[in-house]
Amino acid sequence: MTTTTTEPNPTEFEGGIVLETNGLTKKFGALTAVDDVSLEIESGTINSIIGPNGAGKTTLFNLFTGKHEPTSGSIKFRGVDIGGRKPHEIVADGIVRSYQITNFFSELTTLENVRLATQARQTGFRPTDFVRHHGSVQEPIDEARRVLERVHLGDVAQRRAANLSYGQRRHLEIAISLAADPDLLLMDEPTAGMSPEETRETVELITEIAEDVTLVLIEHDMEIVMDISDRIAVMNMGSLLARGTPEEIQQDDRVQEAYLGGGDRD
Ligand SMILES: Nc1ncnc2c1ncn2[C@@H]1O[C@H](COP(=O)(O)OP(=O)(O)OP(=O)(O)O)[C@@H](O)[C@H]1O
Ligand SMILES: [Mg+2]
C-alpha cells in the first residue's frame, strides 16, 4: 500500500489498537440502540460481534462507517477521532464495510467490476494517484487481478458477474471491498444464505484475508464465531455485555443466561 499525506500517521497507533470507542451511544428518539459502548479492536485480529436481534450490532457498524453520527461518545481510528466524518472520508481513512447486497454491475465481467472499484479509490480519494496513473490503464487491471486472486476468483475474471454462482458473487463483493484497500474490514453476516460448502469456503477466505486486514464480523453462526474469532464482543439491548476470547465468552455466566441459552454447547 502506498502512503499518502492524507492518511493518519501509522506511528500514531497506540499499542496496536486500530479502533477504539469510548462511551459510544446512538439514540433513535426514545430508543437507545447503542448504549455506552467502550471497545478496543486490536490490529491484526478477527473480532466477532454477537447478540440477539435488535441488540445494536448493525447500528454499531453504522457508527463505525459514518452512516450514523454518535449521539455521544467517541470513535477513534488509528488514534484519530472520526466521529462526525463523512462515510466517503472514513472509507478513504481505511474503514470499509462489505455489503451483502448486490453492489456490483451484473453486465460487466468480474474483473471489470473490481477494476472500477480500484479506479474509484484512485481517482475519487487519492488525486495524486490519479495524476500518477493517468495514461496507464494497465496498473488498475493488474491490481484488480491481484485482488481477484486473493478471493479465489482468478479463474472467472472474464465471466460476467450475472453468471457467477451465489457464493462467487459474495466473494466478488468482498473483492470490491478489498479494492478500497481497507485497514479495517467490517462484514455483516458474511455467510448469510450460503450453503454449507459456500460457508466453509467463505470462512476459509475470511481467515486468509485476516492475514493482512483487521476484521470485525457480525455473525449469528456460533460454530463459526467460536472457530475463527480472536476476540468476541457480546451485545444485548444496546450494551456491551461481555468481551473476551471464545473460551472466556463460552464460560461467561451472563452470556450464557442472556444469549447462549444457559445450556452446555457441547
Ligand atoms: N435508522 C433507525 N431508526 C430507528 N431505529 C433504528 C434504526 N436502526 C436501528 N434501529 C433500532 O435499533 C435497535 C438495534 O438495531 P440493529 O439493527 O442495530 O440490531 P442488530 O443487533 O443488528 O439486529 P439483527 O441481529 O436483527 O440484525 C433496534 O431496536 C432497531 O429497530
Ligand atoms: Mg443487524
Side-chain angles (χ1 to χ4, degrees):
M1 188 180 117
T2 52
T3 306
T4 70
T5 51
T6 53
E7 289 177 354
N9 187 345
T11 58
E12 287 169 14
F13 281 50
E14 272 177 42
I17 302 301
V18 64
L19 189 85
E20 179 185 347
T21 74
N22 270 301
L24 189 61
T25 299
K26 178 66 189 178
K27 293 186 181 181
F28 296 110
L31 176 83
T32 306
V34 170
D35 191 358
D36 194 22
V37 170
S38 299
L39 178 73
E40 289 180 343
I41 303 291
E42 264 179 75
S43 182
T45 55
I46 301 181
N47 300 268
S48 295
I49 302 176
I50 65 172
N53 291 339
K57 305 179 296 293
T58 298
T59 304
L60 193 63
F61 267 19
N62 287 334
L63 290 165
F64 293 167
T65 61
K67 184 177 178 190
H68 295 322
E69 223 177 301
T71 305
S72 58
S74 69
I75 313 171
K76 279 186 180 176
F77 179 58
R78 308 201 302 184
V80 176
D81 200 323
I82 59 165
R85 282 170 75 76
K86 301 272 176 293
H88 72 271
E89 294 173 329
I90 290 177
V91 170
D93 287 342
I95 301 180
V96 173
R97 175 172 170 178
S98 183
Y99 283 91
Q100 65 208 56
I101 50 162
T102 46
N103 62 350
F104 50 77
F105 298 99
S106 51
E107 294 309 309
L108 298 182
T109 66
T110 310
L111 181 64
E112 285 164 346
N113 268 287
V114 178
R115 195 188 67 171
L116 276 181
T118 310
Q119 283 176 327
R121 184 194 83 214
Q122 289 172 346
T123 59
F125 304 131
R126 296 180 183 180
T128 51
D129 281 3
F130 178 69
V131 173
R132 192 154 50 78
H133 288 289
H134 190 68
S136 152
V137 288
Q138 193 55 38
E139 200 169 314
I141 291 179
D142 289 346
E143 194 176 336
R145 280 192 193 282
R146 278 196 292 275
V147 172
L148 282 183
E149 294 295 336
R150 272 174 87 185
V151 302
H152 311 297
L153 290 180
D155 292 349
V156 293
Q158 302 301 342
R159 193 173 296 177
R160 282 195 322 152
N163 296 334
L164 296 176
S165 71
Y166 178 74
Q168 287 171 329
R169 266 181 260 165
R170 299 290 300 276
H171 284 205
L172 174 56
E173 284 155 13
I174 295 172
I176 288 170
S177 304
L178 290 177
D181 198 13
D183 294 313
L184 180 67
L185 182 61
L186 312 175
M187 305 174 98
D188 198 341
E189 304 183 30
T191 66
M194 287 189 174
S195 70
E197 173 65 12
E198 288 167 340
T199 298
R200 201 186 52 72
E201 281 173 16
T202 302
V203 168
E204 207 176 290
L205 176 61
I206 288 170
T207 54
E208 286 170 22
I209 290 170
E211 288 169 20
D212 309 303
V213 183
T214 306
L215 290 182
V216 184
L217 319 170
I218 295 172
E219 180 57 66
H220 284 287
D221 185 324
M222 279 310 121
E223 212 174 307
I224 294 175
V225 166
M226 296 301 167
D227 189 30
I228 69 172
S229 309
D230 296 304
R231 302 263 275 151
I232 298 170
V234 186
M235 289 188 73
N236 192 33
M237 301 194 323
S239 300
L240 187 62
L241 184 69
R243 178 96 173 106
T245 63
E247 292 72 26
E248 288 166 344
I249 293 302
Q250 273 172 309
Q251 286 160 13
D252 191 300
D253 290 340
R254 292 164 306 166
V255 177
Q256 290 287 346
E257 275 171 41
Y259 186 53
L260 295 175
D264 285 341
R265 275 179 34 86
D266 299 311

